Amino acid sequence: GSLASALRSLVVAAPVAARLPLMRSTLLGAAPTSQRRCFATAAATARDARLPDVLPPRGRLFGLGGEVERASALAAAPAWRRASDEWLVEYHFEELDSTQSFVEREYSGFDPTRLTVVSADFQTRGKGTRDRNWEAVRGQSVLVTFYFRFPLECSTSFVNRNAPNVTKVLSIALVDTLQWAVAASVPRPSVGLDLGIKWPNDVVANGQKIAGVVARAVVSEGRLESVIVGAGLNVNQTQADMDRIKRPVWPATSLKAVTGLSGGFDVAALRQQLAVNFADELRLFFAEGFAAFRERINAMDVLLRSEPAAREVRFRISERSEIEGEFAGVDEEGHIVIRTHDGRARSFPAGEIVLRSPEDSLRPT
């Protein structure tokens, strides 16, 4: 059915026993009780959350071999940290083959009641969608992968309906993080910065791709229980670095290149802020599903904000089926909406947008 086609590219195999040297790990508090209730009362619980009195023995957390550091106190954390930190577990490496691959191997050892984020300064085999490589310069990008499990109180129908939209939720968190970084570091930008989302989930800045999202689902006993979702965000690369990435449509850029900030940005601060932003968005996602995000996604969509003529597209439903019409954003299920020339609005869980020019494809990248 439509759900199966939307999720076909998300399913991963069972994890393989593999271990890499952990550079740093931090446990930041206990999971709010609201997670066990599908976050129905997330806001109230977040206010009452506290750090645990007892942590696992050092070096034993999840059997990954890393040392566990306890946060001294929430009050001592940077001002941008919020209540969502209290169920975040963060692991950072100097180098990995891929944060996505690492999580796909190791997720069975993660605490299912927490949101785990794995990051690295450099990836030797970074993953993009459709098995493409993600190119990055050492220490100049935010390279992260998140793992979370849907609370057991979320019904199977709720999970199946909303899981394909996790990538869009992370895209929103990416845009919010970029806006935060620019506001904090570029008080008087020399040029305007137009941030948006290119369907289905790429993040673009001034018409150039600045971040991408890739996801896999974990299915257990017929239930889509958890999600592995990663992001690559170009931060401090020069435009010359970005121009080496061959992209005929939506060429690559970085935050430094597009803002002209000579000193660059604090990559670690962006990485941490992204984790907090995504954690906050997940609380709302678990409580209300994608319907709570639809308006924001459509407001951020660069094609929807373009001139009417630019919204006229061919939509490839399958290799043998295409329709023509106007791109009309996404509906409350997260499905793309195409308004055909007979006035009907048709929704599809997946497919490919093709612009008038064959080389100008808006396919997921």
Side-chain angles (χ1 to χ4, degrees):
S2 60
L3 174 64
S5 62
L7 297 179
R8 188 173 295 116
S9 64
L10 297 179
V11 179
V12 298
V16 178
R19 296 292 180 265
L20 292 175
L22 183 65
M23 305 307 298
R24 178 179 65 83
S25 64
T26 306
L27 174 64
L28 292 171
T33 56
S34 56
Q35 186 180 6
R36 296 191 294 274
R37 297 198 302 273
C38 204
F39 278 56
T41 57
T45 305
R47 290 194 297 269
D48 297 333
R50 295 291 183 271
L51 289 172
D53 293 329
V54 179
L55 292 180
R58 295 178 70 83
R60 299 289 294 176
L61 182 62
F62 305 151
L64 293 178
E67 292 190 345
V68 178
E69 302 169 359
R70 176 173 177 170
S72 59
L74 288 178
W80 45 262
R81 287 219 181 260
R82 297 191 287 272
S84 288
D85 285 332
E86 297 161 16
W87 66 291
L88 272 172
V89 180
E90 300 178 282
Y91 297 99
H92 184 69
F93 297 80
E94 290 180 355
E95 183 176 300
L96 285 175
D97 56 344
S98 159
T99 60
Q100 196 81 1
S101 295
F102 179 83
V103 175
E104 288 175 7
R105 292 192 299 265
E106 302 292 345
Y107 71 83
S108 64
F110 296 165
D111 186 334
T113 68
R114 291 185 165 90
L115 171 64
T116 300
V117 53
V118 173
S119 59
D121 292 329
F122 184 69
Q123 300 179 131
T124 57
R125 298 182 65 184
K127 281 190 174 183
T129 54
R130 300 187 178 184
D131 296 322
R132 295 185 178 97
N133 290 332
W134 180 269
E135 304 292 340
V137 179
R138 184 178 295 273
Q140 304 301 306
S141 302
V142 171
L143 305 169
V144 296
T145 296
F146 297 91
Y147 171 83
F148 68 87
R149 182 175 180 175
F150 281 92
L152 294 177
E153 284 67 23
C154 289
S155 69
T156 298
S157 62
F158 175 93
V159 173
N160 288 345
R161 187 170 63 252
N162 287 283
N165 296 308
V166 169
T167 55
K168 298 180 181 67
V169 176
L170 181 52
S171 295
I172 288 178
L174 282 160
V175 171
D176 288 345
T177 300
L178 287 165
Q179 291 173 335
W180 168 84
V182 172
S185 305
V186 192
R188 296 179 180 177
S190 57
V191 296
L193 182 60
D194 180 22
L195 293 168
I197 295 171
K198 174 178 73 69
W199 185 87
N201 49 54
D202 282 347
V203 178
V204 296
N206 293 353
Q208 297 176 280
K209 181 173 176 177
I210 196 170
V213 177
V214 62
R216 298 286 187 271
V218 179
V219 177
S220 176
E221 298 180 356
R223 173 183 164 96
L224 196 164
E225 285 198 339
S226 51
V227 174
I228 299 169
V229 57
L233 170 61
N234 302 323
V235 180
N236 284 332
Q237 297 96 325
T238 66
Q239 191 57 54
D241 291 331
M242 296 290 89
D243 291 342
R244 296 189 186 99
I245 302 173
K246 303 302 181 183
R247 291 182 55 85
V249 182
W250 304 97
T253 193
S254 73
L255 188 57
K256 178 180 178 179
V258 80
T259 60
L261 187 66
S262 59
F265 294 81
D266 186 334
V267 175
L270 266 78
R271 182 176 65 235
Q272 293 166 332
Q273 185 65 38
L274 174 61
V276 172
N277 286 348
F278 185 52
D280 284 347
E281 300 294 2
L282 279 182
R283 292 174 180 273
L284 178 61
F285 185 63
F286 289 156
E288 301 183 27
F290 179 74
F293 295 85
R294 178 198 179 194
E295 185 175 342
R296 291 165 65 191
I297 283 288
N298 283 338
M300 292 179 181
D301 192 285
V302 292
L303 187 56
L304 202 58
R305 295 190 322 220
S306 62
E307 295 295 324
R311 297 197 293 269
E312 290 293 322
V313 299
R314 285 187 294 121
F315 184 72
R316 186 167 297 149
I317 304 167
S318 66
E319 291 297 325
R320 297 183 178 182
S321 178
E322 290 185 356
I323 61 172
E324 293 186 353
E326 178 187 359
F327 173 73
V330 297
D331 62 17
E332 291 190 353
E333 300 293 320
H335 298 170
I336 185 172
V337 179
I338 303 296
R339 185 172 291 108
T340 54
H341 298 307
D342 59 6
R344 289 192 302 160
R346 300 179 60 183
S347 298
F348 302 92
E352 178 185 341
I353 288 180
V354 183
L355 299 182
R356 292 180 182 278
S357 173
E359 67 270 19
D360 292 341
S361 173
L362 276 178
R363 70 183 64 190
T365 54

